[in-house]
Amino acid sequence: MPKIDVEKTRKDFPILSTTSNGKRLVYLDSAATSQKPGGVINAISEYYRTYNANIHRGLYDISVKATEAYTKSKEAVANFINADSYREIVYCKNTTDAINLVALSWAEGNVGRGDTILATEMEHHSNIVPWQLLAKRKGAKVEYIRMKSDFTIDMDDYREKLEANPKLVSFTHVSNVLGTVNDAKEITRLSRKAGARTLIDAAQSVPHMPVDVKDIDCDFMAFSGHKMLGPAGLGVLYGKEAMLEEMPPVYGGGDMIRSVSFKESTWNELPWKFEAGTSNTEGGIGLGAAIDYLNKVGMKNVRAHETELTRYALKRLEETRGVKIYGIGLKGMAAFNRAGVVSFNIEGAHPHDVSTILNSEGIAIRAGHHCAMPLVNTVLREPAVARASFYLYNKPEEIDILVDSVAKVRSVLHLKN
Ligand code: 7TS
């Protein structure tokens, strides 16, 4: 028995029964953003219909209820990643914002002239640009751990780069282009041994597999609610309590203070110290509902389902003429961890044309540099790649539609061989 009843699951996602270009929507772009189940949509709607109020401010019932729901969602996030408490869960706008918060707070005080920040060659721009900005401000430098030709991190290169005593190792858990799952625990262990702090960009891992911050033992982790069935505009920064305690706030304003005088201010307790102004209450409530949904399905089941889909997609695409895959192939999956992101090109076709033709078949995939220009342009040496990415609501039949349409692309573009 499959652990996920995909037809039943699909019924929970209203958008999946809509059409696009007269065809049933085949949504294969969950790495960009996930679709939302009715439970999440309803939780947000119920909040606006029945208890919309500003949190932490009113003493009246609906404000208390909204505050409780928002705080409860933080407890759900903390449990979901096995953090010690909701005090370690800071709400931001998204992964990008969470990483910038660490750059502007912790790193601002701890990285100086000549210091190094280590990332990898497979980062999303959001885990490159904040460090480049910091490096410019501080006279520090950003270095990148090399990727091997098998699409995994070169651990020898990493060990070598650790000898320069970097202040921070900030790396992606799962590549949004390659689907490579990096060994977060080992990378963190080595970084700790070298005296560096660790930030994990978990935008593509937390939504798709069990992730345990205590087991990994990282200092920081960043991820986005919109990629895990929640609404956009709400991301998470996890930080070890001791780290967050010593960090200064970045944004000042309402709610993040304990007291304010004309001369100076003191800060609210964690995690509110980092959350100035009126909160994204609907975002928190929506993320809480998303986590309830994922917990019911079980993250091990999500991971198993996506692994199965990935194997099937790789098998079918590897058999398709003219298709080149960027990432661990079907054979490689025996040895390496791989997530449900499959980037490919069709020989002789620009990925934008591929995406446009697939769109006419109702298929949503992404084409471009996927906000990982250094990886795509410099390491893979491509101007762009097409990418299909999966989630718990995708089914093998959709991969068949994708692969059949890829064959159609070849005939539309009159590609030979
Ligand atoms: N890190 C990784 C690994 C990502 O895949 C993304 C978004 C981000 C950070 C940034 O997330 P945000 O929520 O702050 O925007 N990745 C993608 C993608 O692959 N296609 O669209 C967005």
Side-chain angles (χ1 to χ4, degrees), residues 49-84:
R49 286 173 186 278
T50 66
Y51 63 106
N52 173 48
N54 209 325
I55 66 164
H56 291 160
R57 286 156 174 84
L59 293 174
Y60 48 89
D61 278 5
I62 58 171
S63 175
V64 171
K65 188 172 172 189
T67 302
E68 279 171 4
Y70 191 72
T71 309
K72 212 170 126 227
S73 79
K74 289 200 178 217
E75 283 164 0
V77 173
N79 287 333
F80 194 65
I81 58 168
N82 199 26
D84 272 333

Side-chain angles (χ1 to χ4, degrees), residues 17-269:
S17 51
T18 63
T19 55
S20 169
N21 280 314
K23 308 266 168 63
R24 175 61 59 90
L25 173 68
V26 174
Y27 188 74
L28 299 176
D29 198 18
S30 292
T33 199
S34 71
Q35 297 304 344
K36 322 300 173 196
V40 168
I41 300 166
N42 291 345
I44 295 168
S45 164
E46 190 201 347
Y47 161 65
Y48 280 126
R49 286 173 186 278
T50 66
Y51 63 106
N52 173 48
N54 209 325
I55 66 164
H56 291 160
R57 286 156 174 84
L59 293 174
Y60 48 89
D61 278 5
I62 58 171
S63 175
V64 171
K65 188 172 172 189
T67 302
E68 279 171 4
Y70 191 72
T71 309
K72 212 170 126 227
S73 79
K74 289 200 178 217
E75 283 164 0
V77 173
N79 287 333
F80 194 65
I81 58 168
N82 199 26
D84 272 333
S85 83
Y86 80 89
R87 292 167 56 80
E88 298 183 321
I89 305 300
V90 177
Y91 279 166
C92 306
K93 279 191 295 188
N94 44 38
T95 304
T96 307
D97 193 37
I99 296 173
N100 275 282
L101 176 54
V102 176
L104 291 167
S105 176
W106 177 82
E108 195 65 28
N110 287 279
V111 175
R113 178 160 295 280
D115 285 342
T116 305
I117 306 279
L118 259 191
T120 77
E121 284 185 337
M122 51 176 93
E123 301 308 323
H124 186 278
H125 296 164
S126 66
N127 198 28
I128 296 177
V129 185
W131 307 123
Q132 290 176 337
L133 288 169
L134 175 84
K136 216 167 206 170
R137 288 197 299 275
K138 296 289 179 174
K141 54 183 184 292
V142 190
E143 300 218 333
Y144 303 92
I145 307 160
R146 274 204 300 273
M147 185 187 87
K148 295 196 293 186
S149 58
D150 62 8
F151 304 100
T152 65
I153 281 182
D154 184 338
M155 293 300 277
D156 291 334
D157 185 55
Y158 177 40
R159 283 194 190 84
E160 220 167 90
K161 290 196 161 90
L162 280 177
E163 281 169 21
N165 294 319
K167 281 283 158 82
L168 176 74
V169 180
S170 189
F171 66 97
T172 192
H173 196 175
V174 172
S175 161
N176 68 318
V177 176
L178 308 166
T180 304
V181 181
N182 293 317
D183 187 346
K185 194 171 173 179
E186 179 62 5
I187 294 170
T188 303
R189 188 183 71 81
L190 292 172
S191 114
R192 187 164 301 287
K193 224 172 107 190
R197 297 292 181 185
T198 322
L199 187 160
I200 302 182
D201 173 351
Q204 300 292 352
S205 61
V206 166
H208 299 281
M209 58 191 68
V211 172
D212 181 330
V213 289
K214 272 211 207 78
D215 182 53
I216 295 172
D217 201 25
C218 54
D219 295 293
F220 301 106
M221 182 174 278
F223 52 99
S224 297
H226 71 91
K227 292 190 200 285
M228 52 191 290
L229 314 184
L234 197 286
V236 176
L237 173 67
Y238 156 81
K240 277 189 175 164
E241 187 166 337
M243 298 290 291
L244 295 177
E245 277 295 3
E246 74 181 35
M247 283 160 51
V250 173
Y251 301 112
D255 213 27
M256 51 73 68
I257 50 82
R258 174 162 296 144
S259 71
V260 179
S261 72
F262 282 121
K263 204 161 160 225
E264 58 186 1
S265 308
T266 57
W267 316 135
N268 200 345
E269 60 191 40

Side-chain angles (χ1 to χ4, degrees), residues 268-288:
N268 200 345
E269 60 191 40
L270 291 177
W272 317 113
K273 168 174 96 171
F274 294 105
E275 297 181 28
T278 294
S279 62
N280 178 358
T281 311
E282 70 153 75
I285 288 167
L287 180 58

